[in-house]
Amino acid sequence: ITCDRDDLGAEVAADAAETNVARFTNTFDATSQEWAPIATKTLHDASGALSLQAGMFDFSLTPVNNAPMPAGMTELVGRNNAHGVVVFEGITFTSEDVGKTYQYRISEKVPADPRLGMTYDTTVWIATVTVTHETVDGENLVKVSATYAREGESESHGEAAFENSYTPEAFTESGVIKGEKHLVGRDMLGTDNFNFSLNLVSGPENGVISDMSLNRVINGNVVNFESGEMKFTKPGEYVFGIRENA
């Protein structure tokens, strides 16, 4: 960095023609510094059916007002790892960036074919990157720091946090349990009263909505029974028990 100043310390143009100007040249050698945003992904799933997996979500980083980017890039695409950390390619800042501030937009990329039941985070974060320098063991080094704020808000945060929620769609199309009893050895009498009970043996907690009643229809020596329509709110395996009431 070269700065021209007069005898009183005032900065003058580099191409000043006066020969009586005292010229001081300061050389600043700083190593470059790579920076990548701090962003996280949290997935909320009350059903317990879906857990966060590496590469499940994509994220976009774009420059504001020609902020530095890797050569030839106008957008960086990051993906979450299994621990919820969003990983982006780094951006390099050099001594030419010292004293400058840049901004970047960070958002989640909603897929063209969204997962059913998934609510995606549409928050746009603005990362404000400040480039300074510090001296370490007598060496001038580039220092990069960043703060994060939701677009349109001023409150600063230490990271760009994205949260998605997943609620499986309720299943109602074929949630009916059917069965039948055959009477063998004699004909059905009008006084015969065969009743049955249904109960949930195992399955996801609070995953089925049903009064567990069974309706019956007698047809000759056969008793047909079936439940009402059962609404399942959580995926998983359900085991039901049916018994004849004594």
Side-chain angles (χ1 to χ4, degrees), residues 46 118 127 156 167 205 226 246:
M118 181 71 71
S156 294
T167 304
E205 184 179 3
E226 67 176 50

Side-chain angles (χ1 to χ4, degrees), residues 3-246:
C3 181
D4 296 332
R5 297 183 181 275
D6 61 21
D7 292 339
L8 297 179
E11 187 173 346
V12 298
D15 58 352
E18 289 82 2
T19 59
N20 60 344
V21 173
R23 301 177 65 88
F24 299 90
T25 301
N26 294 331
T27 301
F28 177 65
D29 291 325
T31 59
S32 61
Q33 178 68 49
E34 186 176 82
W35 169 84
I38 301 175
T40 59
K41 161 57 66 181
T42 302
L43 176 61
H44 300 285
D45 175 22
S47 72
L50 187 65
S51 60
L52 185 66
Q53 301 172 12
M56 182 178 284
F57 303 102
D58 291 347
F59 303 83
S60 170
L61 180 147
T62 56
V64 177
N65 296 330
N66 298 315
M69 291 283 285
M73 305 291 289
T74 58
E75 179 189 35
L76 297 181
V77 176
R79 292 180 174 86
N80 68 281
N81 63 20
H83 303 289
V85 177
V86 180
V87 180
F88 281 99
E89 178 183 348
I91 300 172
T92 300
F93 297 90
T94 69
S95 59
E96 295 182 357
D97 299 307
V98 170
K100 298 178 182 179
T101 299
Y102 302 104
Q103 289 189 323
Y104 298 86
R105 285 188 177 88
I106 306 172
S107 60
E108 181 173 353
K109 296 171 73 73
V110 178
D113 185 20
R115 182 189 291 266
L116 291 177
M118 181 71 71
T119 300
Y120 295 85
D121 194 330
T122 59
T123 302
V124 176
W125 287 88
I126 301 297
T128 300
V129 178
T130 302
V131 186
T132 58
H133 72 90
E134 61 181 348
T135 301
V136 179
D137 296 330
E139 182 181 6
N140 285 318
L141 302 176
V142 172
K143 181 179 180 181
V144 181
S145 60
T147 58
Y148 306 84
R150 293 179 176 85
E151 190 170 45
E153 299 181 8
S154 59
E155 182 180 0
S156 294
H157 300 265
E159 64 183 31
F162 296 90
E163 297 187 16
N164 287 10
S165 60
Y166 176 68
T167 304
E169 291 192 349
F171 175 78
T172 59
E173 293 183 0
S174 59
V176 175
I177 295 177
K178 298 181 180 181
E180 60 184 25
K181 174 185 175 67
H182 291 258
L183 181 61
V184 179
R186 65 173 177 84
D187 293 334
M188 188 81 69
L189 302 177
T191 56
D192 288 329
N193 186 20
F194 299 105
N195 290 291
F196 305 89
S197 297
L198 174 70
N199 69 291
L200 177 65
V201 177
S202 64
E205 184 179 3
N206 299 322
V208 60
I209 301 174
S210 172
D211 61 7
M212 298 295 173
S213 63
L214 291 173
N215 301 314
R216 66 184 187 121
V217 176
I218 299 175
N219 184 13
N221 274 17
V222 178
V223 179
N224 296 292
F225 57 85
E226 67 176 50
S227 69
E229 188 173 51
M230 309 178 78
K231 182 177 181 180
F232 296 88
T233 60
K234 297 180 181 180
E237 181 179 79
Y238 294 82
V239 178
F240 293 89
I242 302 175
R243 66 180 178 85
E244 184 176 353
N245 299 327

